[in-house]
Amino acid sequence: IEFSHGDLERSYQAGIDHINENGGVLGRRLEPVYRTFLPIGATEGEAMCLEFTEDAEVFAVVGSIPGLIPTVIECIVGTHETIHVGHGLSAELVERYQGLLVTPDILAERRFAALLSVLEETGELDGATVAVFGDGSVAGRVEDTVVPGLSSIGLDPVEVALVDTTSADLNQISDATRILAERFRVAGVDTVYGGGAVAPTLFP
């Protein structure tokens, strides 16, 4: 499947031009600094952090930083105390960084609560054999929210599996995911709840 968000730089620039043409932010014009990086390992992401925060001294970093590389978010928000507007954030992360980490998205915990409500009302998964799949970035959420939530509507997970993503090695993550997918198959799983930066779409 060919999947693309299109020319993101042009999209960002159109929004920035509109803001600047209408007086900027508190009378100040936005001056963008663009950078892309390959999210395999943390090296390029951390270099990008330093370029933004130390060289360009930006006010905020806007864009998507995969949860596979939390050290990049820590570099921007923690070490350099720079605002990051991102996606796929948890309530725990947002709370940890006290206003420097923000998102236009619904937080994962609220989205999960809404999903549970729909599943319970429709009964669509009655009798399903459920597994939970994700990565270390959502371990707390899985333990405190996801598993108890599923159990509360009668969907006790037969497997809970979290892939180790600390290396950010996508080949290693993909191999580990295939092993878990086979384990789920053997256990008779027909429904997988995916959380975190690694989604069950990686299943073969």
Side-chain angles (χ1 to χ4, degrees):
I1 299 173
E2 184 176 343
F3 179 78
S4 171
H5 290 291
D7 189 331
L8 288 178
E9 186 169 324
R10 286 184 63 188
S11 298
Y12 277 117
Q13 192 62 53
I16 289 168
D17 289 345
H18 176 75
I19 291 170
N20 286 338
E21 289 164 6
N22 287 276
V25 177
L26 299 178
R28 300 180 65 178
R29 291 176 57 82
L30 299 180
E31 298 180 8
V33 177
Y34 294 106
R35 172 75 187 272
T36 59
F37 70 99
L38 186 65
I40 299 178
T43 303
E44 283 195 29
E46 290 171 357
M48 176 197 70
C49 164
L50 297 179
E51 182 178 327
F52 280 160
T53 58
E54 296 186 7
D55 298 341
E57 297 184 338
V58 301
F59 173 75
V61 176
V62 180
S64 182
I65 297 175
L68 300 182
I69 41 179
T71 56
V72 179
I73 294 178
E74 170 60 28
C75 175
I76 294 169
V77 183
T79 304
H80 293 90
E81 298 185 337
T82 300
I83 294 170
H84 171 51
V85 183
H87 302 281
L89 305 178
S90 68
E92 186 274 330
L93 270 180
V94 171
E95 183 177 344
R96 181 192 307 172
Y97 291 109
Q98 296 296 310
L100 289 175
L101 190 61
V102 294
T103 179
D105 307 333
I106 182 173
L107 289 177
E109 289 78 2
R110 289 188 63 194
R111 185 172 61 244
F112 179 69
L115 172 64
L116 276 184
S117 176
V118 171
L119 291 177
E120 188 171 25
E121 286 179 13
T122 62
E124 185 175 343
L125 295 183
D126 289 352
T129 302
V130 179
V132 175
F133 172 77
D135 61 81
S137 70
V138 294
R141 191 193 318 157
V142 165
E143 181 179 352
D144 299 336
T145 305
V146 175
V147 172
L150 290 171
S151 296
S152 73
I153 62 169
L155 294 173
D156 291 301
V158 297
E159 288 269 2
V160 178
L162 302 177
V163 176
D164 180 8
T165 59
T166 52
S167 69
D169 183 327
L170 296 186
N171 289 325
Q172 180 181 334
I173 293 167
S174 181
D175 289 343
T177 301
R178 289 189 179 90
I179 293 170
L180 292 175
E182 177 60 18
R183 205 167 84 193
F184 289 174
R185 187 191 67 79
V186 170
V189 170
D190 54 34
T191 304
V192 177
Y193 175 81
V198 180
T201 50
L202 288 175
F203 285 3

PDB file of all heavy atoms in Angstrom, residues 5 39-40 54 58 68 77-78 88-89 104 112 118 123 125 142 150 152 156 162:
ATOM      1  N   HIS A   5       1.691  11.279   3.427  1.00  0.00           N
ATOM      2  CA  HIS A   5       1.007  12.483   3.895  1.00  0.00           C
ATOM      3  C   HIS A   5       1.219  13.632   2.917  1.00  0.00           C
ATOM      4  O   HIS A   5       0.825  14.764   3.204  1.00  0.00           O
ATOM      5  CB  HIS A   5       1.533  12.887   5.273  1.00  0.00           C
ATOM      6  CG  HIS A   5       1.139  11.947   6.364  1.00  0.00           C
ATOM      7  ND1 HIS A   5      -0.161  11.820   6.804  1.00  0.00           N
ATOM      8  CD2 HIS A   5       1.870  11.080   7.110  1.00  0.00           C
ATOM      9  CE1 HIS A   5      -0.227  10.924   7.777  1.00  0.00           C
ATOM     10  NE2 HIS A   5       1.001  10.461   7.983  1.00  0.00           N
ATOM     11  N   PRO A  39      14.133   7.457  11.261  1.00  0.00           N
ATOM     12  CA  PRO A  39      13.904   6.983  12.631  1.00  0.00           C
ATOM     13  C   PRO A  39      14.363   5.544  12.855  1.00  0.00           C
ATOM     14  O   PRO A  39      13.620   4.704  13.333  1.00  0.00           O
ATOM     15  CB  PRO A  39      12.390   7.127  12.778  1.00  0.00           C
ATOM     16  CG  PRO A  39      11.876   6.855  11.408  1.00  0.00           C
ATOM     17  CD  PRO A  39      12.906   7.454  10.474  1.00  0.00           C
ATOM     18  N   ILE A  40      15.608   5.257  12.484  1.00  0.00           N
ATOM     19  CA  ILE A  40      16.213   3.947  12.762  1.00  0.00           C
ATOM     20  C   ILE A  40      17.389   4.213  13.694  1.00  0.00           C
ATOM     21  O   ILE A  40      18.400   4.771  13.281  1.00  0.00           O
ATOM     22  CB  ILE A  40      16.670   3.238  11.476  1.00  0.00           C
ATOM     23  CG1 ILE A  40      15.473   2.997  10.559  1.00  0.00           C
ATOM     24  CG2 ILE A  40      17.366   1.924  11.808  1.00  0.00           C
ATOM     25  CD1 ILE A  40      15.823   2.346   9.249  1.00  0.00           C
ATOM     26  N   GLU A  54      20.076  23.953  19.972  1.00  0.00           N
ATOM     27  CA  GLU A  54      21.324  24.659  20.259  1.00  0.00           C
ATOM     28  C   GLU A  54      21.769  25.555  19.109  1.00  0.00           C
ATOM     29  O   GLU A  54      22.244  26.677  19.335  1.00  0.00           O
ATOM     30  CB  GLU A  54      22.421  23.657  20.616  1.00  0.00           C
ATOM     31  CG  GLU A  54      22.120  22.874  21.896  1.00  0.00           C
ATOM     32  CD  GLU A  54      23.270  21.976  22.331  1.00  0.00           C
ATOM     33  OE1 GLU A  54      24.352  22.057  21.718  1.00  0.00           O
ATOM     34  OE2 GLU A  54      23.085  21.192  23.290  1.00  0.00           O
ATOM     35  N   VAL A  58      15.337  27.208  18.491  1.00  0.00           N
ATOM     36  CA  VAL A  58      13.917  27.338  18.175  1.00  0.00           C
ATOM     37  C   VAL A  58      13.088  27.480  19.448  1.00  0.00           C
ATOM     38  O   VAL A  58      13.499  27.071  20.536  1.00  0.00           O
ATOM     39  CB  VAL A  58      13.412  26.125  17.361  1.00  0.00           C
ATOM     40  CG1 VAL A  58      14.187  25.997  16.059  1.00  0.00           C
ATOM     41  CG2 VAL A  58      13.497  24.834  18.174  1.00  0.00           C
ATOM     42  N   LEU A  68       9.372   5.109  19.449  1.00  0.00           N
ATOM     43  CA  LEU A  68      10.480   4.147  19.507  1.00  0.00           C
ATOM     44  C   LEU A  68      11.760   4.815  19.983  1.00  0.00           C
ATOM     45  O   LEU A  68      12.688   4.134  20.410  1.00  0.00           O
ATOM     46  CB  LEU A  68      10.739   3.546  18.118  1.00  0.00           C
ATOM     47  CG  LEU A  68       9.602   2.792  17.443  1.00  0.00           C
ATOM     48  CD1 LEU A  68      10.075   2.246  16.104  1.00  0.00           C
ATOM     49  CD2 LEU A  68       9.142   1.641  18.318  1.00  0.00           C
ATOM     50  N   VAL A  77      12.608  18.156  25.103  1.00  0.00           N
ATOM     51  CA  VAL A  77      11.750  18.683  26.164  1.00  0.00           C
ATOM     52  C   VAL A  77      12.434  18.667  27.532  1.00  0.00           C
ATOM     53  O   VAL A  77      12.320  19.621  28.296  1.00  0.00           O
ATOM     54  CB  VAL A  77      10.430  17.883  26.228  1.00  0.00           C
ATOM     55  CG1 VAL A  77       9.503  18.457  27.274  1.00  0.00           C
ATOM     56  CG2 VAL A  77       9.747  17.879  24.870  1.00  0.00           C
ATOM     57  N   GLY A  78      13.148  17.579  27.822  1.00  0.00           N
ATOM     58  CA  GLY A  78      13.780  17.449  29.122  1.00  0.00           C
ATOM     59  C   GLY A  78      15.077  18.218  29.232  1.00  0.00           C
ATOM     60  O   GLY A  78      15.196  19.157  30.025  1.00  0.00           O
ATOM     61  N   GLY A  88       0.571  11.002  19.228  1.00  0.00           N
ATOM     62  CA  GLY A  88       0.672   9.699  19.868  1.00  0.00           C
ATOM     63  C   GLY A  88       1.198   9.770  21.292  1.00  0.00           C
ATOM     64  O   GLY A  88       1.883   8.859  21.754  1.00  0.00           O
ATOM     65  N   LEU A  89       0.884  10.839  21.994  1.00  0.00           N
ATOM     66  CA  LEU A  89       1.409  11.030  23.346  1.00  0.00           C
ATOM     67  C   LEU A  89       0.464  10.445  24.388  1.00  0.00           C
ATOM     68  O   LEU A  89      -0.742  10.367  24.178  1.00  0.00           O
ATOM     69  CB  LEU A  89       1.616  12.518  23.624  1.00  0.00           C
ATOM     70  CG  LEU A  89       2.505  13.273  22.628  1.00  0.00           C
ATOM     71  CD1 LEU A  89       2.584  14.736  23.002  1.00  0.00           C
ATOM     72  CD2 LEU A  89       3.893  12.655  22.563  1.00  0.00           C
ATOM     73  N   PRO A 104      -2.279  18.028  19.660  1.00  0.00           N
ATOM     74  CA  PRO A 104      -3.636  18.367  19.232  1.00  0.00           C
ATOM     75  C   PRO A 104      -4.547  17.140  19.232  1.00  0.00           C
ATOM     76  O   PRO A 104      -5.744  17.251  18.975  1.00  0.00           O
ATOM     77  CB  PRO A 104      -3.426  18.883  17.797  1.00  0.00           C
ATOM     78  CG  PRO A 104      -2.235  18.114  17.317  1.00  0.00           C
ATOM     79  CD  PRO A 104      -1.344  17.944  18.525  1.00  0.00           C
ATOM     80  N   PHE A 112      -8.890   5.212  24.453  1.00  0.00           N
ATOM     81  CA  PHE A 112      -9.147   3.831  24.857  1.00  0.00           C
ATOM     82  C   PHE A 112     -10.472   3.721  25.608  1.00  0.00           C
ATOM     83  O   PHE A 112     -11.248   2.789  25.393  1.00  0.00           O
ATOM     84  CB  PHE A 112      -8.001   3.310  25.726  1.00  0.00           C
ATOM     85  CG  PHE A 112      -8.207   1.906  26.210  1.00  0.00           C
ATOM     86  CD1 PHE A 112      -8.176   0.840  25.324  1.00  0.00           C
ATOM     87  CD2 PHE A 112      -8.441   1.641  27.548  1.00  0.00           C
ATOM     88  CE1 PHE A 112      -8.373  -0.461  25.758  1.00  0.00           C
ATOM     89  CE2 PHE A 112      -8.639   0.348  27.994  1.00  0.00           C
ATOM     90  CZ  PHE A 112      -8.600  -0.709  27.094  1.00  0.00           C
ATOM     91  N   VAL A 118     -17.728   1.842  23.198  1.00  0.00           N
ATOM     92  CA  VAL A 118     -18.339   1.381  21.951  1.00  0.00           C
ATOM     93  C   VAL A 118     -18.375  -0.140  21.896  1.00  0.00           C
ATOM     94  O   VAL A 118     -19.391  -0.742  21.516  1.00  0.00           O
ATOM     95  CB  VAL A 118     -17.579   1.952  20.736  1.00  0.00           C
ATOM     96  CG1 VAL A 118     -18.072   1.308  19.440  1.00  0.00           C
ATOM     97  CG2 VAL A 118     -17.736   3.460  20.671  1.00  0.00           C
ATOM     98  N   GLY A 123     -21.314  -4.946  21.572  1.00  0.00           N
ATOM     99  CA  GLY A 123     -21.106  -6.375  21.769  1.00  0.00           C
ATOM    100  C   GLY A 123     -20.384  -7.017  20.600  1.00  0.00           C
ATOM    101  O   GLY A 123     -20.403  -8.241  20.430  1.00  0.00           O
ATOM    102  N   LEU A 125     -17.364  -7.670  20.003  1.00  0.00           N
ATOM    103  CA  LEU A 125     -16.293  -8.615  20.293  1.00  0.00           C
ATOM    104  C   LEU A 125     -16.699  -9.666  21.328  1.00  0.00           C
ATOM    105  O   LEU A 125     -15.834 -10.315  21.917  1.00  0.00           O
ATOM    106  CB  LEU A 125     -15.049  -7.864  20.762  1.00  0.00           C
ATOM    107  CG  LEU A 125     -14.400  -6.939  19.726  1.00  0.00           C
ATOM    108  CD1 LEU A 125     -13.141  -6.307  20.287  1.00  0.00           C
ATOM    109  CD2 LEU A 125     -14.089  -7.682  18.436  1.00  0.00           C
ATOM    110  N   VAL A 142      -0.635  -0.198  29.635  1.00  0.00           N
ATOM    111  CA  VAL A 142      -1.174  -1.543  29.423  1.00  0.00           C
ATOM    112  C   VAL A 142      -1.556  -2.177  30.756  1.00  0.00           C
ATOM    113  O   VAL A 142      -2.648  -2.746  30.907  1.00  0.00           O
ATOM    114  CB  VAL A 142      -0.151  -2.426  28.670  1.00  0.00           C
ATOM    115  CG1 VAL A 142      -0.538  -3.898  28.757  1.00  0.00           C
ATOM    116  CG2 VAL A 142      -0.052  -1.996  27.215  1.00  0.00           C
ATOM    117  N   LEU A 150     -10.205  -3.929  29.451  1.00  0.00           N
ATOM    118  CA  LEU A 150     -10.725  -5.030  28.645  1.00  0.00           C
ATOM    119  C   LEU A 150     -11.417  -6.063  29.535  1.00  0.00           C
ATOM    120  O   LEU A 150     -12.502  -6.566  29.209  1.00  0.00           O
ATOM    121  CB  LEU A 150      -9.593  -5.682  27.848  1.00  0.00           C
ATOM    122  CG  LEU A 150      -9.011  -4.847  26.699  1.00  0.00           C
ATOM    123  CD1 LEU A 150      -7.757  -5.513  26.141  1.00  0.00           C
ATOM    124  CD2 LEU A 150     -10.040  -4.651  25.592  1.00  0.00           C
ATOM    125  N   SER A 152     -12.876  -5.562  32.283  1.00  0.00           N
ATOM    126  CA  SER A 152     -14.121  -5.023  32.844  1.00  0.00           C
ATOM    127  C   SER A 152     -15.313  -5.230  31.923  1.00  0.00           C
ATOM    128  O   SER A 152     -16.465  -5.192  32.366  1.00  0.00           O
ATOM    129  CB  SER A 152     -13.963  -3.539  33.151  1.00  0.00           C
ATOM    130  OG  SER A 152     -13.937  -2.760  31.959  1.00  0.00           O
ATOM    131  N   ASP A 156     -10.955 -10.770  28.802  1.00  0.00           N
ATOM    132  CA  ASP A 156      -9.690 -11.024  29.488  1.00  0.00           C
ATOM    133  C   ASP A 156      -8.631 -11.454  28.470  1.00  0.00           C
ATOM    134  O   ASP A 156      -8.781 -12.499  27.825  1.00  0.00           O
ATOM    135  CB  ASP A 156      -9.870 -12.126  30.538  1.00  0.00           C
ATOM    136  CG  ASP A 156     -10.731 -11.652  31.699  1.00  0.00           C
ATOM    137  OD1 ASP A 156     -10.345 -10.676  32.344  1.00  0.00           O
ATOM    138  OD2 ASP A 156     -11.798 -12.265  31.925  1.00  0.00           O
ATOM    139  N   LEU A 162       4.811  -7.179  24.947  1.00  0.00           N
ATOM    140  CA  LEU A 162       5.408  -5.884  24.658  1.00  0.00           C
ATOM    141  C   LEU A 162       6.770  -6.089  24.010  1.00  0.00           C
ATOM    142  O   LEU A 162       7.636  -6.759  24.561  1.00  0.00           O
ATOM    143  CB  LEU A 162       5.559  -5.061  25.936  1.00  0.00           C
ATOM    144  CG  LEU A 162       4.270  -4.796  26.728  1.00  0.00           C
ATOM    145  CD1 LEU A 162       4.592  -4.040  28.002  1.00  0.00           C
ATOM    146  CD2 LEU A 162       3.271  -4.024  25.892  1.00  0.00           C
TER     147      LEU A 162
END
